[in-house]
Amino acid sequence: TSPIRIGVIGYGNLGRGVEAAIALNPDMQLAGIYTRRPPAQLKPGNADTPVYAMDSLLSHKGQLDVLILCGGSKDDLPSQTPELAAHFNLIDSFDTHARIPEHFAKVDQAAQGGQTTALISAGWDPGMFSINRLMGEALLPDGATYTFWGKGLSQGHSDAIRRVPGVAGGVQYTIPVEAAVEKVRSGVRPELSTREKHRRQCFVVLQDGADADAVRQTIVEMPHYFDEYDTAVHFISAEELARDHGAMPHGGFVIRSGNTSAQSKQVIEYRLQLDSNPEFTSSVLVAYARAVHRMAQAGQYGCKTVLDVAPSLLSPKSAAQLRAELL
Ligand code: NDP
């Protein structure tokens, strides 16, 4: 059988990650990268990968089985996903949790109209964590679900500290509070406040002459971002920032703690420990792109999420092989 032809839409962190993930999946082929920037500006990992301007995408309809959208959730995906779902099978990683129902409705309308399969909000959260929250609730109806994130670099919080007057650069890590995690794992189903679940750690480079105490104060009191957390601010040099904080680690765990009878506590835990958040997210997108291709071939059109996909559709192996090897 011929490989699944993938078009990558947007070439940032996820775009590069998708390129790397496709290289690990022989049943898939990177047919082209599509960008809003001048194509010559992009340097794909494999110099043979064709890079096209976004304008040429529609003329390649029929040569692409699934698009993997790698744009940002804030400004790119809300318009790109519905526009492209009218013409192509696709997948995105839209992660603005509160706006998923609205995004779903727009993409569903476009995909129903175009008879395409469009899977939104794949990745790890939303994505793999969502599946594990569903499993926990369904298997242990009498219980509580806990999601902890980290240790991980938060792009949004890092951007927020970089905007503080006097700050030349910086990063923010979200860290689960170990005592809270242990309490949850013990099965006692604690009620935890925001502050009790996570703490925040900032590494900040000051501008010349900036007042360190004033910068620290502005950060720890910043509404929504830091005021509800215990936040530690460490001042470092520009060299240290570049040397020690260039990676994008992340991860976390979903824990469901429940009872099946008064005596029997049951605890389920799913854990991710990621050196590279974008590379892992891209790996999830590529596996789900395979499922999208199969669902489209089966005529299952419209907008989908990871909650709608049968696990066997993710695997390159046949159903018979999966039954023999994994059950
Ligand atoms: P980037 O900012 O790296 O890339 C987003 C887009 O910006 C690209 O598609 C690209 O489009 C453009 N771009 C990238 N680099 C440049 C540049 N140097 N100059 C100008 N434009 C550039 O975002 P990420 O890939 O890191 O993340 C994308 C989204 O993935 C995030 O917004 C997040 O919401 C989501 N995500 C979801 C997760 C999940 O678990 N569901 C986990 C992690 C991320 P173009 O080539 O067209 O210019």
Side-chain angles (χ1 to χ4, degrees):
T1 52
S2 46
I4 304 171
R5 297 163 301 175
I6 302 290
V8 166
I9 309 301
Y11 197 66
N13 297 310
L14 286 191
R16 283 189 293 276
V18 166
E19 189 182 20
I22 289 174
L24 300 176
N25 287 278
D27 64 328
M28 305 210 152
Q29 179 201 333
L30 178 49
I33 294 167
Y34 295 80
T35 180
R36 293 163 295 185
R37 286 168 284 165
Q41 274 184 18
L42 267 57
K43 297 276 168 284
N46 177 350
D48 295 334
T49 302
V51 183
Y52 302 105
M54 268 301 273
D55 302 344
S56 50
L57 180 59
L58 260 187
S59 68
H60 295 179
K61 205 172 167 173
Q63 298 162 38
L64 297 163
D65 296 309
V66 183
L67 304 183
I68 302 186
L69 273 58
C70 299
S73 289
K74 191 164 168 286
D75 298 319
D76 301 332
L77 302 177
S79 55
Q80 280 183 341
T81 309
E83 270 168 36
L84 296 177
H87 304 283
F88 295 93
N89 303 313
L90 59 76
I91 176 165
D92 81 14
S93 69
F94 186 73
D95 72 352
T96 315
H97 292 259
R99 306 193 70 173
I100 289 175
E102 182 189 331
H103 189 56
F104 183 96
K106 281 194 206 148
V107 175
D108 192 47
Q109 193 179 14
Q112 298 287 1
Q115 302 255 288
T116 64
T117 306
L119 192 144
I120 62 162
S121 302
W124 60 278
D125 197 357
M128 302 314 297
F129 275 15
S130 318
I131 294 172
N132 282 278
R133 287 188 282 259
L134 180 151
M135 295 280 236
E137 280 187 15
L139 304 186
L140 298 174
D142 173 18
T145 302
Y146 300 83
T147 303
F148 291 93
W149 295 278
K151 180 183 178 176
L153 183 91
S154 160
Q155 215 62 63
H157 288 79
S158 298
D159 289 344
I161 57 178
R162 286 185 211 114
R163 284 193 296 266
V164 170
V167 170
V171 291
Q172 194 267 186
Y173 299 98
T174 306
I175 303 173
V177 175
E178 199 51 41
V181 177
E182 286 313 319
K183 222 183 227 178
V184 169
R185 284 184 178 139
S186 77
V188 298
R189 289 197 227 171
E191 285 219 16
L192 298 168
S193 66
T194 301
R195 189 180 300 276
E196 286 170 321
K197 284 182 75 182
H198 296 95
R199 58 195 173 88
R200 300 198 177 276
Q201 188 180 41
C202 306
F203 292 90
V204 175
V205 180
L206 289 173
Q207 288 169 0
D208 283 341
D211 177 349
D213 286 333
V215 166
R216 185 194 310 273
Q217 186 93 354
T218 308
I219 293 174
V220 303
E221 291 176 357
M222 196 186 297
H224 308 303
Y225 285 90
F226 294 102
D227 61 342
E228 290 176 43
Y229 298 86
D230 290 332
T231 302
V233 180
H234 308 285
F235 295 104
I236 60 173
S237 67
E239 294 70 39
E240 285 170 306
L241 181 70
R243 187 191 66 208
D244 303 332
H245 301 283
M248 287 185 269
H250 221 311
F253 9 85
V254 173
I255 303 174
R256 178 72 174 181
S257 158
N259 280 66
T260 45
S261 65
Q263 322 75 271
S264 303
K265 276 192 293 202
Q266 321 277 16
V267 179
I268 309 172
E269 178 166 344
Y270 178 77
R271 179 179 188 197
L272 293 174
Q273 194 179 344
L274 310 174
D275 274 353
S276 165
N277 174 4
E279 285 181 26
F280 181 76
T281 303
S282 301
S283 301
V284 177
L285 290 173
V286 167
Y288 274 92
R290 181 181 290 118
V292 166
H293 179 59
R294 292 171 171 172
M295 291 166 85
Q297 285 186 319
Q300 294 168 21
Y301 302 135
C303 190
K304 313 285 176 193
T305 75
V306 295
L307 303 180
D308 305 313
V309 178
S312 63
L313 296 178
L314 302 176
S315 173
K317 297 177 178 175
S318 71
Q321 195 178 358
L322 290 172
R323 282 193 293 274
E325 291 178 6
L326 301 185
L327 284 183

